[in-house]
Each structure stands twice: as structure tokens, then as C-alpha cells.
Amino acid sequence: MTVTDVCRTAAEAWSAVKGLTTARKNALLLDMAAAIEDNRAEIILANDADVAAARANGVSATLVDRLTLTERRMTGLVSAIRTIADLPDPVGQVVEGWTRPNGLLIERVREPIGVVAVIYEARPNVTAEVAALCLKSGNCAVLRGSSMAMATNKAVMAALDSAIARHDAVPAGVVRLITDPSREAAKELMRAKEFVDLLVPRGGPELIESVERHATVPTVIDGAGNCHVYIDHSADPDMATAVTVNAKTSRPSVCNAMETLLVHEELARDWLPGVLDELASAGVEIRGDATVREVWPKAVAAREEDWGTEYLDLVLAVRVVPDVGAAIAHIDRWGTSNAEAIVARDIDVARRFAREVDSGSVFVNTSTRYSDGGEFGYGVEIGVSTQKLHIRGPIGLTALTTVKNVVWGTGQTRVV
Amino acid sequence: MTVTDVCRTAAEAWSAVKGLTTARKNALLLDMAAAIEDNRAEIILANDADVAAARANGVSATLVDRLTLTERRMTGLVSAIRTIADLPDPVGQVVEGWTRPNGLLIERVREPIGVVAVIYEARPNVTAEVAALCLKSGNCAVLRGSSMAMATNKAVMAALDSAIARHDAVPAGVVRLITDPSREAAKELMRAKEFVDLLVPRGGPELIESVERHATVPTVIDGAGNCHVYIDHSADPDMATAVTVNAKTSRPSVCNAMETLLVHEELARDWLPGVLDELASAGVEIRGDATVREVWPKAVAAREEDWGTEYLDLVLAVRVVPDVGAAIAHIDRWGTSNAEAIVARDIDVARRFAREVDSGSVFVNTSTRYSDGGEFGYGVEIGVSTQKLHIRGPIGLTALTTVKNVVWGTGQTRVV
């Protein structure tokens, strides 16, 4: 089957999926969770093969870690599917409605989108989670995982297929895995305009650039996270330290980790050296501007490109700024519209930052690490949107729907 | 100035525009309306030149009509700007908000998008209306009208500029007209990804295809309107006739006019001939399937391509179908996701059609002609979206905003 054929199959299956009741969808999801549990041994075995191959190919320890399905992760995956079954169904929700002077009742109603394609990297839990999120929202899913996780993904798909096969109302094409690992196959997916209603690419800059260049299908881009934290001189110093350390060190490899710290100049001498000591003792390399190096000489000199780098590692760029306006201007210039935070006690400064920073999510007196579907209360997320249209920030189940207008009349006709 | 330079100027102007208060924006809009009134004579003179040139070039009467700014249309244009000043400002609206168990308050807030570009055809009223809609929603506008209307558009822009110049807080670049009429200039606009946050193309299939092929900027597509009306056998016959005639004949040249009539087979002998007589007497050419030609022999034979044609003219394709399911399947196959209607008294049939038809707007017991921002109560519309993401159906002021997450904390830090 070509990629286009896979997408066509999904599109043909959609007419059966979009009308499923919530009860039926939830029953399917619970069966999917049970099937994963029942096939736990086979899935782990397949994953062992993927991990062994990755190791043999000299893949980095970080990537091998992401690829590995431990027992704990398997349990997490199964419980994620059950969480999705428990989430409220967004389909059929009347978002708003009103009656016009001529008596027409206009309702704006959430509906499934159609065929949702997701391109993702090594984490094999994504396969089952995205399948469950798409089905819950009445969509079909076309999944393109990493070639590195192919054996695992096939084993997961086999388990999901066995659950789907037990539901007569649900055709086999509702979730489809693309098994061709070539870049050409990915491009074909990006261009399957006739059959794909939404593509969510989750990955590094190379994938995003490829999507921007080749995609003709509608996309919600899960792009880079060059996240900023600005510490205002009005900040509570202990809170400033706690948020800074949390944003950088609690999980440096994820997109909501801080990459640049902006500090008000009044804090450069008294507060900054202490927090840099604490970060350094946690293993963070500091790259600072001239003022930073003056007050904390162990810092490496930051170069222009440091402001634009998403390290995803224990490295931090630090800049001293004269005021909140300069911090906002720095973020305007270098930010990736993912997540930015401020620590401030001055209400005007905090509200100005919240209003003027043009980013998916702005955090006041808390850490950028909360830019996450789970932390927002969405249950399980598809990713984090760095674009402005359709959805910004964490992408929950609701973002997998579209809003249709339904207009109820009693025979009204229009004059002009 | 290259097109990219124009877009850069608009992007630079945005930081001043996005923070304007509603009062300031409304004052600017009222000054813009006054400036159009003050320069009425110059604008009409420029329009006379455009119209004369169009006539000399053998442009069709319909297009010349669209191009012509009559006194009545000038008055309509000025009052449209005042209507926009009166509309509620979507910027700053808190769409939803909730508090998490850890005390984080999450607010989802409407914000301007940035630089909005619009490509449109001959109607010169669009220039001022789109400028007003963009400014009201805190955006900058880059306008690319038809070369045929260039003199008119320049005269309108001069009037708008004179109003903008009277507002110190508003930089000159907030509304920009692209004066290079070449296709290359349009393509450059479609690719000005660094500066354009949203492109709305309004035009025929050629423009839409060009956007789908070349655009790298985010788009909301105002595409074709191959609109359907299905008459169920449960319909009130008089209502069915009134809606059918209205949907086809009240304004056949617009995108919400009906192009295909689908009729339940039980109505083929009794109801259909009468309505086709009425349509024919209004000058409508009927292209029917075999059953239609049997019951109404004057019909031309419909060919496969008739089901896919947006006539925008007094031509109608007519098909007899066995039931509502067949009508929905026909719309699935041939519809353009713009507007579809059903006339039915059977509540199950009506609700099934409303639920299953995958279109921007579905009308029950009323005419597709109501697919219109004004009729929805949006005041003035930017167009009608035929895509699924961001906005479906009539595009009002609200669709020119994006929803940002603002998270208020008290020092929370994340554990994992």
C-alpha cells in the first residue's frame, strides 16, 4: 500500500467513525487498553529488538532511553488510554448559539475533523495515545513513527487492530501505521491533501522545516521551544530562584524547559550570582552577556546564536536587561512562541508582560514547565502548538475538532 | 518597495497596533470613515477611470458592475466602517478560564494575530472594509486588490492614510496596499512567512489553486461554493419551493447560491415539475438526471461535471435521490464545504442531515443564502472559510484573533 492508499483507506473509514456515540468510542478505547495489556509480552519483545538495533547503530543514550518501553511506561501507556476514555467527548458540544432577529437559530457545534496524521519520533507510547485521542474525537488516525521504533509500533498496532476487529461498527482503516520509513513516504503524507484533514508534526527543526517546505495538507505545528524566563526587580527573590531552577533543571530535554534567563539589571549583583551558583552545582553550563560575566566570572561568553538556540540540555543563556520592555523585545526577537515566564511582584509589570508577550503560553510567577496538556487539565496531549491559527499552546482533545455552523429555520428566505 | 518590504513594514508597525485600546481604535475607524466621505469626489473620479479602462479592455458587464463604486455603494462603504467601529472588540476577551488543583489559574485570552494579508478581486469596497476589520482586531493589514481597481484602491488608501496620519500612536505602515499587479508579487506575498501571520485569499479557483501551491504563510481559504439544497419527502411543499427559488435566484452570482438541487424520489412527479417551471420562468437553465428529464422534459441532460460545477449563474443541476443518505453521500462527493440546506418536516431526517453533512454551514428549513457574516450577526465579514481549521463558514472579526494561554501562579514549580 502506498502512503496515499493508506490515507485513502482512513478517509473512507471516517464516515463510519465520525458518527460513533461516546459510549461506543469509550468501549473501543477500553478494549484497546486491554489489548495492549494482553499483548504486553509481544510488545516488550518487539521493543527489545528495536532497542538492541538502536544500540548497535550507535544511537545516543538519550534517544535509546526515549525508545525503551519499560514496564512502568507500558503501565503508563495503558492508563493513558483509559484516561482518554474518561475524558469528556468534545464532539457535539454546542460552543455557542444565538437567535437572529428573523428567528434563525445559529448553533456552533464541535465536529470531528476527519483524517488526522501525526509524524513523531522515537517514543513508542505516542502510537497508542494518538490513536486513542483521534478515535475519541471521532477522527481516523494515520501514524508515522520513527523507523527506529518500527517493530514496537507494529506490535502496538497489531494489539490495537485486534481490539478494533472486535467492533463491527468500526472499519479496519480507522488507525493506520505507515511502515515505509523513507523520507519520500513522509513527503507523500505531507501532500495527501485529498485525504488528510490535519497533520501534526512532532519533532526537531529538520522535520518542521520539511513540513513548512512540502506540506499542502493543513497543519498544526509542534515546533521548537526556545523558552524564556524574565526575573523582574520586583520579584520575590526566593520564588525567582525556585522558578528559575525548576524551569531549567527539572527536565532539560523537553520543549518547555527554559533556554534563556533574562534578569533585571538591579538584580545582577545581589540575586543573580546565587542562582547561577545553584544552577552550576546542578551541572548547568552558563553562557552570559558581559554583565553576567562581570558578576559571575565562571560564565562562558554568550554569542548571538546562543539567544536563538534550543539547547534541550543543561546549558543556559543568561542576559541582563534594563527593564521589562527590553525583556519583551528580546523575546519578540528570539522566542519561538512556545512558553515564556515572568517572576514579578509589581502587578503592572506582570500584566504588561502577560499582555504583550506574543507566545502560546505566558506564565506569571510560575514555571514554563507547566506548558503541558496534562498540567493544563487536558488529560493527554497531542503536542504543543507553536503556531497562531486554530490552537496555541498545549493541544488537547478539543483541538482535534472543528466547529460547524448549524442554522435552524422555519422557512426563512433572504431578500437580497 | 518590494512586497516583502511592505510586509516587513506592516510587521514592524504591529507592535504599536496590538496594544491600542478599543477607544483609540474606534476613534481611528471613525476618522477613516470621515476621510472616505471627505474624499468621495476623488475616489469616484479614480473609480471612473478604472471603470472606463475596464470597459475599453472588454471586461464583462458583471465584473464592471462589481468594480463600479456608485454613490449608494460609497455610502454603504462608509457605514460599514462605522458598523465595525460599533462592533464589540474581541481583543482581550477571556474565552475560558479555570483553576487547577495546584492553584494555577489558566486563562485563554483573545489576542490580535499580527499581519493579516488579503488577496481579493474587483470590489473596491473591500479595501476599506478589510482595513477597518484588521485594525479593529489589533492587526496590521496588507491588501492586494485587483489591478483593475488599482486607481480606486489607491484613492481609498490615500484617504485612509490621511486619517491614520492624524493619530500619533498609529504608525503609517498599519495598512499597506500592494501596488505591483504582477502574479510574481502575489506569490511573494504568499511566501512572506517571516512577516505575514495570516493570508485570506478571496477569489476564483485559479487564485485558490495558486495559494495551495505556493503559500507558505498560514491561510484561511475563502474557496468555492458548490452549495446543495436537499428536499426531503417530508418537506412542507410550499416551504420547499420558497427555499429552492430563493437559494437559486435571489443572487445567483454569489458563493452561497445553490448550484445543485437534490430531491427525494417521492417528490419527483408531484412537486418537482412545478418548482422547475417556476425556476425556468425566472430564467434558470435546468440540467437534470434521467428521472428529472422524464418528469420535466425541458431539462438538459446533466453530465458528471455538472455535479462539480459552481455556475455562479442562472443554471441549476438537479438530481433525484432515493433518500437522505444518498443526498448526504452526493454532498460528500461533490460539496465544497461551504453551505448546504435541507427542507424537511421529519425531525430525525433533519437532525441526521445537520449532523452528518460535513460543511462549513448546514441550514435546516432555510436558504443557503444565509451563509453570510452579516446574516450571522457578525456585522461585516472578511469572507467565508471553506477549510476546517481555525474557522469554518462566515469569517467575522473574532476569527482575526488568536487565543493565548495566560497562567497565573504563586510560585508553583513542577516536580517531574
Side-chain angles (χ1 to χ4, degrees):
Chain A
M1 254 207 209
T2 66
V3 169
T4 308
D5 288 337
V6 169
C7 297
R8 183 186 292 111
T9 311
E12 286 166 0
W14 185 50
S15 60
V17 172
K18 66 177 176 179
L20 293 175
T21 61
T22 306
R24 254 181 201 281
K25 292 188 288 192
N26 290 347
L28 174 61
L29 262 55
L30 294 178
D31 278 353
M32 282 165 55
I36 299 273
E37 270 184 335
D38 292 347
N39 292 275
R40 206 179 176 105
E42 289 85 344
I43 294 168
I44 296 262
L45 210 65
N47 187 249
D48 287 345
D50 278 336
V51 168
R55 285 221 175 89
N57 290 327
V59 165
S60 77
T62 316
L63 260 180
V64 168
D65 173 61
R66 282 195 198 164
L67 177 62
T68 308
L69 267 181
T70 59
E71 285 290 333
R72 196 172 134 259
R73 284 180 182 170
M74 280 293 288
T75 306
L77 194 168
V78 171
S79 81
I81 301 176
R82 294 195 172 122
T83 300
I84 296 166
D86 280 344
L87 289 176
D89 188 345
V91 174
Q93 189 197 349
V94 180
V95 175
E96 49 180 341
W98 61 96
T99 300
R100 296 287 302 153
N102 61 4
L104 289 181
L105 166 63
I106 299 178
E107 289 182 341
R108 296 183 32 78
V109 186
R110 286 206 181 279
E111 299 272 350
I113 288 179
V115 174
V116 176
V118 180
I119 301 179
Y120 53 101
E121 292 184 335
R123 294 174 212 249
N125 60 311
V126 173
T127 306
E129 286 179 18
V130 168
L133 285 163
C134 287
L135 289 176
K136 176 77 185 219
S137 48
N139 298 295
C140 289
V142 173
L143 307 171
R144 210 269 188 183
S146 159
S147 58
M148 205 187 293
M150 190 65 83
T152 318
N153 287 339
K154 282 182 176 172
V156 170
M157 263 310 302
L160 298 182
D161 277 338
S162 71
I164 291 166
R166 284 203 292 281
H167 291 256
D168 287 344
V170 184
V174 295
V175 180
R176 277 279 156 252
L177 182 70
I178 291 175
T179 51
D180 177 346
S182 70
R183 280 174 189 230
E184 280 314 308
K187 277 192 208 164
E188 196 178 330
L189 178 58
M190 296 176 197
R191 288 174 180 147
K193 216 180 111 39
E194 205 184 333
F195 306 114
V196 172
D197 297 290
L198 168 61
L199 168 66
V200 182
R202 297 171 46 151
E206 210 179 319
L207 171 65
I208 304 306
E209 204 181 294
S210 174
V211 167
E212 287 176 345
R213 186 186 309 256
H214 301 296
T216 57
V217 302
T219 53
V220 168
I221 288 177
D222 178 331
N226 185 20
C227 303
H228 297 77
V229 175
Y230 166 64
I231 309 296
D232 191 57
H233 60 306
S234 71
D236 174 281
D238 293 340
M239 188 193 291
T241 301
V243 168
T244 301
V245 172
N246 184 261
K248 183 68 246 179
T249 67
S250 58
R251 205 166 164 201
S253 67
V254 292
C255 72
N256 57 22
M258 167 177 65
E259 305 292 9
T260 296
L261 175 67
L262 301 167
V263 182
H264 191 285
E265 59 185 13
E266 283 185 25
L267 300 178
R269 283 190 190 279
D270 294 334
W271 175 80
L272 185 57
V275 77
L276 294 185
D277 282 339
E278 193 166 333
L279 288 166
S281 74
V284 179
E285 176 190 329
I286 305 297
R287 304 191 185 171
D289 67 6
T291 313
V292 172
R293 296 198 308 280
E294 205 186 302
V295 301
W296 201 76
K298 279 177 282 182
V300 178
R303 290 178 301 179
E304 176 98 346
E305 60 258 43
D306 280 302
W307 310 129
T309 301
E310 186 188 14
Y311 302 112
L312 297 173
D313 205 347
L314 287 173
V315 182
L316 178 68
V318 186
R319 185 173 201 172
V320 171
V321 293
D323 57 20
V324 64
I328 293 169
H330 179 100
I331 294 167
D332 264 357
R333 169 74 184 82
W334 296 105
T336 53
S337 201
N338 197 313
E340 331 296 334
I342 184 175
V343 182
R345 264 187 306 217
D346 183 323
I347 189 172
D348 292 332
V349 168
R351 294 191 73 88
R352 179 180 169 193
F353 188 90
R355 199 173 59 240
E356 293 187 14
V357 167
D358 186 31
S359 183
S361 303
V362 180
F363 296 85
V364 178
N365 291 333
T366 185
S367 169
T368 52
R369 291 290 333 284
Y370 287 106
S371 172
D372 172 272
E375 293 296 331
F376 269 52
Y378 297 165
V380 178
E381 74 178 23
I382 318 286
V384 176
S385 164
T386 52
Q387 69 184 38
K388 290 189 184 180
L389 297 192
H390 191 65
I391 182 72
R392 283 191 106 164
I395 310 167
L397 200 52
T398 305
L400 293 183
T401 62
T402 174
V403 177
K404 180 166 88 179
N405 303 291
V406 179
V407 181
W408 303 91
T410 50
Q412 288 86 343
T413 53
R414 191 171 165 194
V415 180
V416 182
Chain B
M1 252 204 207
T2 67
V3 169
T4 308
D5 288 337
V6 168
C7 297
R8 184 185 292 111
T9 311
E12 285 165 1
W14 185 50
S15 60
V17 172
K18 67 177 176 180
L20 293 175
T21 61
T22 307
R24 255 181 200 281
K25 291 188 287 192
N26 290 347
L28 174 60
L29 262 55
L30 295 177
D31 278 353
M32 282 165 53
I36 299 273
E37 270 185 335
D38 293 347
N39 292 277
R40 206 178 176 105
E42 289 85 342
I43 294 169
I44 296 263
L45 210 65
N47 187 249
D48 288 345
D50 278 338
V51 168
R55 285 221 175 88
N57 289 327
V59 165
S60 76
T62 315
L63 260 180
V64 167
D65 173 62
R66 282 193 196 164
L67 177 62
T68 307
L69 268 181
T70 59
E71 285 289 335
R72 195 172 134 260
R73 284 179 182 171
M74 280 294 288
T75 306
L77 194 168
V78 171
S79 80
I81 301 176
R82 294 194 172 123
T83 300
I84 295 165
D86 280 343
L87 291 175
D89 188 345
V91 174
Q93 189 198 346
V94 180
V95 175
E96 51 181 339
W98 61 94
T99 299
R100 295 287 301 152
N102 60 5
L104 288 181
L105 166 63
I106 298 178
E107 289 182 342
R108 297 183 32 77
V109 186
R110 287 206 180 280
E111 298 272 348
I113 288 179
V115 174
V116 176
V118 181
I119 301 179
Y120 53 101
E121 291 183 336
R123 296 173 210 251
N125 59 311
V126 173
T127 306
E129 286 178 18
V130 168
L133 285 163
C134 287
L135 289 177
K136 176 76 184 220
S137 48
N139 298 295
C140 290
V142 173
L143 307 171
R144 210 268 186 178
S146 159
S147 59
M148 207 187 290
M150 190 65 82
T152 318
N153 286 339
K154 281 182 176 171
V156 169
M157 262 311 301
L160 299 181
D161 276 338
S162 71
I164 291 165
R166 283 203 293 282
H167 291 256
D168 288 344
V170 184
V174 295
V175 180
R176 278 280 156 252
L177 182 68
I178 291 175
T179 52
D180 178 346
S182 71
R183 279 172 191 233
E184 281 312 308
K187 275 191 209 165
E188 197 177 330
L189 178 58
M190 295 174 198
R191 288 173 179 149
K193 215 181 112 39
E194 205 184 334
F195 306 114
V196 173
D197 297 290
L198 168 61
L199 168 67
V200 182
R202 298 171 45 151
E206 210 178 318
L207 172 64
I208 303 307
E209 203 180 295
S210 174
V211 167
E212 287 176 346
R213 186 185 308 255
H214 301 296
T216 57
V217 301
T219 54
V220 168
I221 289 178
D222 179 332
N226 185 21
C227 302
H228 297 77
V229 175
Y230 165 64
I231 308 297
D232 190 58
H233 60 307
S234 71
D236 174 283
D238 292 340
M239 188 193 291
T241 302
V243 167
T244 301
V245 172
N246 183 263
K248 182 69 246 177
T249 66
S250 59
R251 205 167 164 202
S253 67
V254 293
C255 73
N256 57 23
M258 167 178 64
E259 304 293 8
T260 295
L261 175 67
L262 301 167
V263 181
H264 191 282
E265 60 184 12
E266 283 184 27
L267 299 177
R269 284 192 188 276
D270 295 335
W271 175 80
L272 185 57
V275 78
L276 294 184
D277 282 340
E278 193 166 332
L279 288 167
S281 74
V284 179
E285 176 190 329
I286 305 296
R287 304 192 184 171
D289 68 5
T291 313
V292 171
R293 296 200 309 280
E294 204 186 305
V295 301
W296 201 75
K298 279 177 282 181
V300 178
R303 289 177 302 179
E304 175 98 347
E305 59 257 43
D306 281 301
W307 310 129
T309 302
E310 186 188 14
Y311 302 113
L312 298 172
D313 205 347
L314 287 173
V315 182
L316 179 67
V318 185
R319 185 173 202 172
V320 172
V321 293
D323 57 20
V324 65
I328 294 168
H330 179 101
I331 294 167
D332 263 357
R333 170 73 184 83
W334 296 105
T336 53
S337 200
N338 197 312
E340 332 294 335
I342 183 175
V343 183
R345 265 187 304 216
D346 184 324
I347 189 174
D348 292 333
V349 168
R351 294 192 73 88
R352 179 180 169 191
F353 188 90
R355 199 174 57 239
E356 291 188 16
V357 167
D358 186 32
S359 184
S361 303
V362 179
F363 295 86
V364 178
N365 291 334
T366 185
S367 169
T368 52
R369 291 291 332 286
Y370 286 107
S371 171
D372 173 272
E375 294 296 332
F376 269 52
Y378 296 165
V380 179
E381 73 178 23
I382 318 283
V384 176
S385 164
T386 51
Q387 70 183 38
K388 290 189 184 181
L389 297 194
H390 191 66
I391 182 73
R392 284 191 105 164
I395 310 168
L397 200 52
T398 304
L400 293 183
T401 62
T402 175
V403 176
K404 180 167 88 178
N405 304 292
V406 179
V407 181
W408 304 91
T410 50
Q412 287 87 342
T413 53
R414 190 171 166 194
V415 179
V416 182

